[in-house]
DNA sequence: CCCTGATTCGC
DNA sequence: GCGAATCAGG
């Protein structure tokens, strides 16, 4: 595969959107993430545009050159339904998942395990905010698409069609992504202390 | 281990 | 210019 105009554009677009090199590579097809990264560099969009690279004299051994793209991202793009096949014309009874803590106001079949309900009470507002944030980027995987390393946090009502799993990459050996781990594993109740 | 981007260097 | 291999970090 060669870097046609279109492909380069898609690359730019996705990179700007904050997609990872591997995701871009997957989307483009026929290239590896290395290829993508290499191209990104050649195109000179490794760092955020606008700002000029601070003149880095060859004599300066910049040990902390970490132009992390993440820091470059000005604002998360609004979710654009691209690859997700969402063509059912089905009436959205529950409507799009409000995102946030998996809510199940609707009917939950008896006997069905509820989604991980974080004790419904005091959860770091920050953690919740974080969850809301990342759920916009959720891959919205189906049960079948889950792997050992995709976040298995359920969103929506299992009884409806509008149900999916976060699907973002988990980090350690945890079942959830970073954000969801935050609300899933609460630090044990700060019980004054329970000396052994 | 999984992932990320960064860099190098033969092609 | 390209990208696999490698490096460096989380």
């Amino acid at each position: 595969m060669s870097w046609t105009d279109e492909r380069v554009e898609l690359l730019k677009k996705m990179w700007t959107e904050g997609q990872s090199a591997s995701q871009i590579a997957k989307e483009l097809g026929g290239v590896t993430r290395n290829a993508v990264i290499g191209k990104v560099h050649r195109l000179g969009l490794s760092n955020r545009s606008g700002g000029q690279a601070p003149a880095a004299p060859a004599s300066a051994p910049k040990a902390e050159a970490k132009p992390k793209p993440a820091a470059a991202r000005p604002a998360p793009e609004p979710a654009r339904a691209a690859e997700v096949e969402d063509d059912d014309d089905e009436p959205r009874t529950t409507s799009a998942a409000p995102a946030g803590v998996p809510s199940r106001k609707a009917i939950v079949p008896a006997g069905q395990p509820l989604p991980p309900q974080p004790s419904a009470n005091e959860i770091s507002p920050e953690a919740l905010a974080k969850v809301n944030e990342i759920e916009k980027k959720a891959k919205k995987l189906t049960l079948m698409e889950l792997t050992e390393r995709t976040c298995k946090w359920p969103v929506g009502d299992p009884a409806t069609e509008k149900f999916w799993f976060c699907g973002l990459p988990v980090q350690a050996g945890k079942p959830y992504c970073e954000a969801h781990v935050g609300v899933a594993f609460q630090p044990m109740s700060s019980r004054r202390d329970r000396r052994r």
Side-chain angles (χ1 to χ4, degrees), chain A residues 140-162:
Chain A
K140 301 192 178 182
L141 301 182
T142 66
L143 179 59
M144 306 305 277
E145 297 171 318
L146 290 176
T147 74
E148 295 301 313
R149 50 192 82 77
T150 55
C151 179
K152 297 165 189 61
W153 188 270
V155 177
D157 190 332
T160 71
E161 302 301 309
K162 294 301 167 185

Side-chain angles (χ1 to χ4, degrees), chain A residues 7 34 37 45 47 53 56 79 81-82 114 118 139 143 147 166 170 175 180 182:
Chain A
R7 289 166 67 77
N34 281 314
I37 292 173
L45 16 57
N47 59 26
L114 293 176
K139 301 268 211 54
L143 179 59
T147 74
C166 173
V170 298
H180 285 136

